[in-house]
Amino acid sequence: MAERVADVKATDKVAIIGAGLSGVGMAIQLKRLLSHDNFELFEKYDDIGGTWSQNTYPNLSCDVPSEFYSYSFFQKPDWSQKFAPQPEILEYMHDCVVHFQLGPHIHLQQECTSISWSEEDSIWNLSFNDLLHHKSYTIQARFVVTATGVLNIPKGLDDLPELRNFGGQCFHTSQWRDIDFDDKRVMVIGNGCSGNQVIPWILSERRPKSLVQIVRSPQWIAPKPNYLVSGFTKWYTTLCSISVIIVDSSKFHRCLRYIPFAMRLRRLWTAYKLDNSFIAMMATDQGTKARRTVMDAVRSYMKSIASPRYHDVLLPHYELGAKRPVMDDGYLNATNRENFTLIQCDGISAIEGDQRKTVVDKVGNKHEVDIVILANGFKTQELLTPMKVQGIGGKDLRETWESKGGSEAYMGVSVNGFPNFFMLIGPNTLPSNNSTLHAIECSIVYVTRLLKGGWARSGGDRRNPLVLMPTPEAEVQFNAMIQRKMKDLVYTSQVSTWYINKDTGKNTLIWPGTQFSFWRSRCVSPIRWSDWTV
């Protein structure tokens, strides 16, 4: 029986589910932009950080420049690398929690299992499992913000049931184990970002007897360059009275800390360069021309580094951008190692042998294996799983989305029938080849603008009952626009990608425009209050 916790402060309380970049950012902006301190942040794991605390496998780093892995309002000037490693990103998040004094608001090892709307009280009832003390309880909050992300539920063995009988060690990259790889026969299944990062580490930093990789389809693998000092950087260096042409990134970053607006200008320049590449995502003559230029360059890069015996398996035949390109973390060079084997097939067909360590792939090859590492990604089409969300009249959010062929929301943050319920990294809010954190920030600002405007319309007293919900007409029109614009992009259901619902062909995750247009629509353009029930 759940313990019900009465809360007299629930009238203007904001409950945030998830303490990754989006949840922590939401908490900070409630304090910064709204001077609102009545919020609680719940995290089911034993640390903040979301994907950056749960994924700790070796060689993990971000795939956009580091300046976009800090909040715009709390920028970090001294990243050690152009593409920051996982421990440094997690450390930055802890610095944010300390700086903005979020500690008293954060509750770790608290798993939200369900939320339900009370029409009588105009309030949410949230049910939790306290994983630390092994008990359940319920709280109330006027507003709920989900910040659970899309890379939080590993695919695991769902598509590889045969491996349940495997006699060796088997684990997903998000559940990394510090084990001995020396003289072991290793198999890696998958070739996305995590596979690209762990394979070169295993082959160069450990001494496995062999490593075989199983892949279903090829990936575009782009170069991931180290930090280069540009003329722009040298200009900053000169202003700091540092000797010109000294390639010392630590001095440059110290320069960024002290020159007014330096970090902001650098960030804007990076944003411009990333957004300028959006043209290659467009299914137009101009987009095709831009895309082919990049494809030729990436293809040449891959062929110049990867082992020639695997070119047929590695080089894609689909358009660049149909899947998010993978950044090369040393993987292509690793394909040249003598103890590396690459197999393209549709998975695993059987486990054989007395020790159950003979893995038979679907081509018929038999591999003697001690360790299987699953680098097969996450269930990105199952937003908010396994949490149950029930709105007005018991309306179930997951069933609502299933009836529409996949998840959708007005402005990517809210759904009709679910009042005062907001999502970060919601449907169709991820950018094409740009910073996810920037998109998160834009959605956070939009939610704070809604709250500020809603409170103003309810008399200014935040304790007054307030119900914010998009109208059904606005939600339908918005999502029709999203899918209409999606047809102008290179994404297609013919190419398997985690952006698209494979059952319906609906792209549920990507924003079909530039990052500038996303920022403008959330942070600058006036809110269309006629689209909202207040």
Side-chain angles (χ1 to χ4, degrees), residues 217-482:
S217 60
Q219 299 267 18
W220 287 104
I221 303 176
K224 191 173 184 178
N226 290 324
Y227 180 79
L228 299 176
V229 178
S230 65
F232 189 60
T233 303
K234 293 173 186 175
W235 176 66
Y236 279 124
T237 308
T238 304
L239 287 179
C240 283
S241 301
I242 300 174
S243 300
V244 181
I245 323 240
I246 290 181
V247 183
D248 186 337
S249 63
S250 65
K251 292 179 180 178
F252 169 63
H253 288 306
R254 286 199 296 273
C255 167
L256 289 179
R257 185 186 293 275
Y258 294 113
I259 296 181
F261 308 115
M263 286 190 292
R264 190 172 297 278
L265 287 172
R266 182 178 181 231
R267 183 182 175 98
L268 286 172
W269 176 245
T270 301
Y272 169 77
K273 290 190 294 183
L274 288 173
D275 225 18
N276 201 40
S277 67
F278 178 76
I279 189 173
M281 300 294 109
M282 300 179 66
T284 62
D285 290 342
Q286 191 177 12
T288 299
K289 183 178 179 180
R291 195 161 51 251
R292 293 294 164 80
T293 299
V294 179
M295 285 170 62
D296 288 344
V298 174
R299 186 182 294 109
S300 296
Y301 170 77
M302 293 177 66
K303 292 175 72 173
S304 69
I305 298 178
S307 171
R309 59 181 171 155
Y310 297 129
H311 284 183
D312 289 344
V313 177
L314 288 170
L315 295 170
H317 298 290
Y318 57 84
E319 293 282 293
L320 178 72
K323 288 185 179 184
R324 185 181 177 106
V326 173
M327 304 292 281
D328 186 16
D329 285 277
Y331 169 76
L332 292 176
N333 190 51
T335 64
N336 293 285
R337 290 184 173 261
E338 293 183 0
N339 59 344
F340 174 82
T341 303
L342 179 61
I343 303 291
Q344 184 174 18
C345 67
D346 199 35
I348 305 302
S349 63
I351 302 297
E352 298 179 350
D354 293 340
Q355 294 184 316
R356 294 177 289 116
K357 290 187 176 182
T358 303
V359 180
V360 185
D361 65 39
K362 290 200 172 179
V363 175
N365 302 303
K366 296 187 177 183
H367 312 275
E368 299 301 321
V369 178
D370 299 302
I371 302 167
V372 173
I373 299 173
L374 304 174
N376 57 343
F378 298 84
K379 300 178 182 179
T380 57
Q381 291 297 314
E382 299 184 15
L383 293 183
L384 306 183
T385 300
M387 186 169 57
K388 187 177 182 64
V389 181
Q390 291 182 300
I392 294 174
K395 185 178 183 181
D396 185 271
L397 182 58
R398 189 162 295 109
E399 292 176 0
T400 299
W401 281 343
E402 287 175 357
S403 70
K404 297 180 178 181
S407 59
E408 59 181 47
Y410 178 75
M411 298 295 281
V413 301
S414 194
V415 180
N416 176 262
F418 299 85
N420 298 352
F421 176 79
F422 309 106
M423 294 172 285
L424 304 177
I425 317 186
N428 298 111
T429 60
L430 295 184
S432 296
N433 196 34
N434 212 307
S435 168
T436 299
L437 180 54
H438 181 259
I440 291 169
E441 273 201 62
C442 293
S443 293
I444 290 172
V445 169
Y446 187 73
V447 172
T448 61
R449 294 175 70 200
L450 285 172
L451 291 175
K452 183 177 182 179
W455 280 326
R457 281 164 171 75
S458 65
D461 188 342
R462 298 182 179 184
R463 295 169 297 180
N464 289 339
L466 172 64
V467 173
L468 285 169
M469 181 174 64
T471 66
E473 297 81 11
E475 185 178 324
V476 169
Q477 292 171 9
F478 177 82
N479 286 288
M481 177 274 292
I482 289 288

